[in-house]
Amino acid sequence: MDARRKREARKRRHRRVRRRIVGTPERPRLVVFRSNKHIYAQVIDDSAGRTVVAASSSEAEARGPGRKSEVAKRVGSLLGRRATERGIASVVFDRGGYLFHGRVRALAEGARESGLTF
């Protein structure tokens, strides 16, 4: 499968998931984007159309030694801490068309450990 087809298949899966998942002010959507080098996560209120909290592996707080899945777990815990500071306790998880394993799963586990409920 070449890179373009793979990217299109992921976008197709993401659109299919997004038909059902909607973030509300009480329970916003936690969306994940994964590149080859970094991982990004945002908590989005879809009714207002704005990002409430964000974290990524390119930030100094999340950067550090270790495998990419370990870095993703740090990003998840950082996002969870920031979300709980803003008064968000529960989110809807949007895996962005990616399979729920590896870095995406590590990010989710980090967010859960820091207090977010899915």
Side-chain angles (χ1 to χ4, degrees), residues 37-41 54-82 102-114:
K37 192 172 182 181
H38 294 290
I39 191 160
Y40 307 87
S56 75
S57 59
S58 60
E59 296 179 29
E61 294 177 58
R63 233 180 285 138
R67 297 190 325 246
K68 289 191 267 188
S69 58
E70 295 166 357
V71 174
K73 192 166 188 172
R74 284 197 296 268
V75 170
S77 63
L78 176 64
L79 183 83
R81 276 191 313 235
R82 289 178 180 174
R103 290 191 279 162
V104 176
R105 183 176 181 172
L107 188 139
E109 288 172 356
R112 280 189 184 117
E113 288 174 5
S114 63

Side-chain angles (χ1 to χ4, degrees), residues 26-42:
E26 300 82 35
R27 196 163 179 213
R29 176 171 57 100
L30 191 161
V31 64
V32 176
F33 176 74
R34 190 188 77 186
S35 72
N36 286 337
K37 192 172 182 181
H38 294 290
I39 191 160
Y40 307 87
Q42 297 178 322

Side-chain angles (χ1 to χ4, degrees), residues 13 36 39 66 80 90 94 99 105 108 110:
R13 284 190 303 271
N36 286 337
I39 191 160
S90 180
D94 178 4
L99 295 176
R105 183 176 181 172

Side-chain angles (χ1 to χ4, degrees), residues 1-17:
M1 204 175 200
D2 65 343
R4 196 173 93 218
R5 282 180 179 266
K6 202 171 189 178
R7 189 171 43 249
E8 288 169 358
R10 182 195 73 82
K11 286 184 179 181
R12 206 168 35 247
R13 284 190 303 271
H14 191 204
R15 280 193 301 266
R16 190 168 54 230
V17 169

Side-chain angles (χ1 to χ4, degrees), residues 18 21 26 87 98 111 115:
R18 283 285 289 124
I21 296 177
E26 300 82 35
Y98 302 107

